[in-house]
Amino acid sequence: MERNLIKMGTTTVSVVGRNFVVLGADKKSTLGFMVDSKEARKIYPLDEHLAITIAGSVGDALSVIRLLRAQFKLYRMERGKISVRAAATFLSNVLHNSRFFPYYTQFIIAGVDERGAQIYSLDPLGGIDEKDKFYSTGSGSPFAYGVLEAGYREDIPEREAIDLVRKALKSAIERDIGSGGKGINIVVIDENGYREVE
């Protein structure tokens, strides 16, 4: 079967503020043209100050998440909390090391540490992007980016960032056949740590 006949859909969104990050994701999981789940999880905590979003193959993503969690626990025992940049670099190395048999995933790592709030987007081969203040992954990302481009500003407060993420996801869900499910997930990470928003 040709790979382009199997389409995977999702939408994840991240926005960085002055001292916080907001992550959001839809809940639909697809298997080709079938809805596999309407309540899929696509945002995972990696540590109290660090989270990751997933788009692509769930099996590949969960395998990587288990590896990251284990490594970050070991790091914490030896040196303390891993920085957001170090976590993204570690993930980049894992993905690049598997570049000939890649994980079919796209990740966003986000968190808050001594350097402040940060987000990193990683492609399946380990390419890392840290220049932007917002990212979106998955098949709904073109629709989400339109909302993010129009609504983001450097000094965005947390409440507005949450609303912007919600609007970006809503736009993707309304126009992307691979995005949807029963509601959305939104997570905030700030100096107090990881929390899910009702």
Side-chain angles (χ1 to χ4, degrees):
M1 181 181 288
E2 290 182 28
R3 183 173 316 199
N4 62 0
L5 293 180
I6 300 177
K7 303 285 185 189
M8 289 180 277
T10 200
T11 305
T12 74
V13 176
S14 64
V15 170
V16 66
R18 197 156 153 215
N19 55 1
F20 65 87
V21 293
V22 179
L23 303 171
D26 74 309
K27 293 185 175 183
K28 183 193 262 186
S29 171
T30 58
L31 194 60
F33 294 105
M34 182 181 81
V35 176
D36 184 51
S37 173
K38 295 177 184 176
E39 298 183 33
R41 183 181 180 123
K42 299 175 186 178
I43 306 172
Y44 292 85
L46 297 175
D47 203 334
E48 62 191 23
H49 68 295
L50 195 59
I52 193 167
T53 70
I54 63 170
S57 167
V58 175
D60 282 357
L62 294 180
S63 175
V64 170
I65 288 169
R66 286 190 296 271
L67 172 66
L68 295 177
R69 284 178 171 170
Q71 288 296 321
F72 298 165
K73 281 182 185 176
L74 291 171
Y75 190 97
R76 182 183 273 274
M77 287 173 20
E78 294 174 359
R79 302 178 190 176
K81 288 194 305 190
I82 192 165
S83 72
V84 182
R85 180 186 289 257
T89 302
F90 181 83
L91 175 56
S92 175
N93 290 339
V94 168
L95 296 173
H96 186 72
N97 191 46
S98 300
R99 67 191 176 279
F100 297 115
F101 299 99
Y103 294 102
Y104 293 108
T105 55
Q106 189 176 12
F107 297 103
I108 299 170
I109 280 193
V112 176
D113 61 21
E114 296 77 22
R115 291 184 61 228
Q118 301 154 67
I119 54 175
Y120 299 87
S121 177
L122 292 101
D123 68 35
L125 302 182
I128 203 168
D129 188 358
E130 59 180 297
K131 301 275 191 274
D132 289 336
K133 299 294 185 179
F134 52 82
Y135 291 108
S136 183
T137 64
S139 58
S141 62
F143 306 105
Y145 269 122
V147 174
L148 294 170
E149 291 280 359
Y152 182 81
R153 64 180 202 273
E154 289 283 336
D155 60 343
I156 191 167
E158 184 178 299
R159 185 74 250 165
E160 282 185 36
I162 292 169
D163 289 341
L164 180 62
V165 166
R166 185 178 290 118
K167 287 177 189 171
L169 289 170
K170 186 174 184 277
S171 176
I173 288 168
E174 288 179 356
R175 291 293 178 180
D176 175 44
I177 198 163
S179 300
K182 293 183 178 178
I184 58 175
N185 286 100
I186 295 183
V187 165
V188 174
I189 306 172
D190 57 21
E191 61 271 8
N192 298 315
Y194 175 103
R195 77 179 191 276
E196 296 190 8
V197 176
E198 290 295 328

